[in-house]
Coordinates of all heavy atoms in Angstrom, one line a residue:
S54 N -17.5 -5.0 -10.7 CA -17.7 -4.0 -11.8 C -17.5 -2.6 -11.2 O -17.5 -2.4 -10.0 CB -19.1 -4.1 -12.3 OG -20.1 -3.7 -11.4
A55 N -17.3 -1.7 -12.1 CA -17.3 -0.3 -11.7 C -18.6 0.2 -11.4 O -18.8 1.1 -10.5 CB -16.7 0.6 -12.9
T56 N -19.7 -0.4 -11.9 CA -21.0 -0.1 -11.6 C -21.2 -0.3 -10.1 O -21.8 0.5 -9.3 CB -22.0 -0.9 -12.4 OG1 -21.8 -0.7 -13.8 CG2 -23.5 -0.6 -12.1
L59 N -19.1 2.2 -8.0 CA -19.8 3.6 -7.9 C -21.0 3.5 -6.9 O -21.2 4.5 -6.2 CB -20.2 4.0 -9.3 CG -19.1 4.4 -10.2 CD1 -19.5 4.4 -11.7 CD2 -18.5 5.8 -9.9
T80 N -21.6 10.4 -20.2 CA -20.9 9.4 -19.5 C -21.7 8.1 -19.7 O -22.8 8.1 -20.2 CB -20.8 9.7 -18.0 OG1 -20.1 8.6 -17.3 CG2 -22.1 9.9 -17.3
F81 N -21.2 7.0 -19.2 CA -21.9 5.7 -19.2 C -23.0 5.8 -18.1 O -22.8 6.5 -17.1 CB -21.0 4.6 -19.0 CG -21.6 3.2 -19.1 CD1 -22.2 2.8 -20.3 CD2 -21.7 2.3 -18.1 CE1 -22.7 1.6 -20.5 CE2 -22.2 1.1 -18.2 CZ -22.8 0.7 -19.4
S83 N -23.9 4.1 -15.7 CA -23.6 3.6 -14.3 C -23.3 4.8 -13.4 O -23.5 4.8 -12.2 CB -22.4 2.7 -14.3 OG -22.8 1.5 -15.0
T84 N -22.7 5.9 -13.9 CA -22.3 7.0 -13.1 C -23.5 7.6 -12.5 O -23.5 8.0 -11.3 CB -21.6 8.1 -14.0 OG1 -20.7 7.5 -14.9 CG2 -20.9 9.1 -13.2
V126 N -16.2 12.4 -14.2 CA -15.7 11.3 -15.0 C -14.5 11.8 -15.9 O -14.6 12.8 -16.5 CB -16.8 10.8 -16.0 CG1 -16.3 9.6 -16.9 CG2 -18.0 10.4 -15.2
D152 N -14.9 8.9 -11.2 CA -15.2 7.8 -12.1 C -14.0 7.6 -13.0 O -13.9 8.4 -14.0 CB -16.5 8.0 -12.9 CG -16.9 6.8 -13.7 OD1 -16.0 6.0 -14.1 OD2 -18.1 6.6 -14.0
A154 N -13.3 4.9 -14.9 CA -13.5 3.8 -15.8 C -12.7 3.9 -17.1 O -12.4 2.9 -17.8 CB -15.0 3.6 -16.1
H155 N -12.3 5.2 -17.5 CA -11.6 5.4 -18.8 C -10.1 5.7 -18.6 O -9.5 6.1 -19.6 CB -12.2 6.6 -19.6 CG -13.7 6.4 -19.8 ND1 -14.5 7.4 -20.4 CD2 -14.5 5.3 -19.7 CE1 -15.7 6.9 -20.5 NE2 -15.8 5.7 -20.1
S176 N -12.8 0.5 -13.7 CA -13.5 -0.6 -14.3 C -12.5 -1.6 -15.0 O -11.6 -1.1 -15.7 CB -14.5 -0.1 -15.4 OG -15.0 -1.2 -16.1
F177 N -12.8 -2.9 -14.8 CA -12.0 -3.9 -15.5 C -12.9 -4.7 -16.4 O -12.7 -5.9 -16.7 CB -11.2 -4.8 -14.5 CG -10.4 -4.0 -13.5 CD1 -10.5 -4.3 -12.2 CD2 -9.5 -3.0 -13.9 CE1 -9.8 -3.6 -11.2 CE2 -8.8 -2.3 -13.0 CZ -8.9 -2.6 -11.6
E178 N -13.9 -4.0 -17.0 CA -14.8 -4.7 -17.9 C -13.9 -5.0 -19.2 O -12.9 -4.3 -19.4 CB -15.9 -3.7 -18.2 CG -17.2 -4.3 -18.8 CD -17.2 -4.2 -20.4 OE1 -16.4 -3.4 -20.9 OE2 -17.9 -5.0 -21.0
K181 N -12.4 -2.1 -21.4 CA -11.7 -1.0 -20.7 C -10.2 -1.2 -20.8 O -9.7 -2.1 -21.4 CB -12.2 -0.8 -19.3 CG -13.7 -0.5 -19.2 CD -14.0 0.9 -19.8 CE -15.5 1.2 -20.1 NZ -16.4 1.2 -18.9
G188 N -15.0 -6.6 -13.7 CA -14.4 -6.3 -12.4 C -14.3 -4.8 -12.2 O -14.5 -4.0 -13.1
W298 N -8.7 5.9 -23.3 CA -9.5 4.7 -23.6 C -10.0 4.6 -25.0 O -10.1 3.6 -25.6 CB -10.7 4.6 -22.6 CG -11.6 3.5 -22.9 CD1 -11.3 2.2 -23.0 CD2 -13.1 3.6 -23.0 NE1 -12.5 1.5 -23.3 CE2 -13.5 2.3 -23.3 CE3 -14.0 4.7 -23.0 CZ2 -14.9 2.1 -23.5 CZ3 -15.3 4.4 -23.2 CH2 -15.8 3.1 -23.4
F325 N -20.8 9.3 -25.7 CA -22.0 8.5 -25.4 C -23.2 9.4 -25.8 O -23.1 10.6 -25.8 CB -22.2 8.3 -23.8 CG -21.1 7.4 -23.3 CD1 -19.9 8.0 -22.7 CD2 -21.2 6.0 -23.3 CE1 -18.9 7.2 -22.2 CE2 -20.2 5.2 -22.7 CZ -19.1 5.8 -22.2
Ligands
PLP401 C1 -17.8 1.3 -18.3 C2 -18.1 2.4 -17.4 C3 -18.6 2.2 -16.2 C4 -19.1 0.8 -15.7 O1 -18.1 -0.1 -15.7 P1 -18.5 -1.7 -15.4 O2 -17.2 -2.2 -14.9 O3 -18.8 -2.2 -16.8 O4 -19.6 -1.7 -14.5 C5 -18.8 3.3 -15.3 N1 -18.5 4.5 -15.7 C6 -18.0 4.8 -17.0 C7 -17.7 6.2 -17.3 C8 -17.8 3.7 -17.9 O5 -17.4 4.0 -19.1

Side-chain angles (χ1 to χ4, degrees):
S54 65
T56 304
L59 290 160
T80 180
F81 188 61
S83 300
T84 319
V126 178
D152 183 335
H155 302 173
S176 174
F177 309 130
E178 199 266 343
K181 297 294 168 65
W298 173 52
F325 297 92

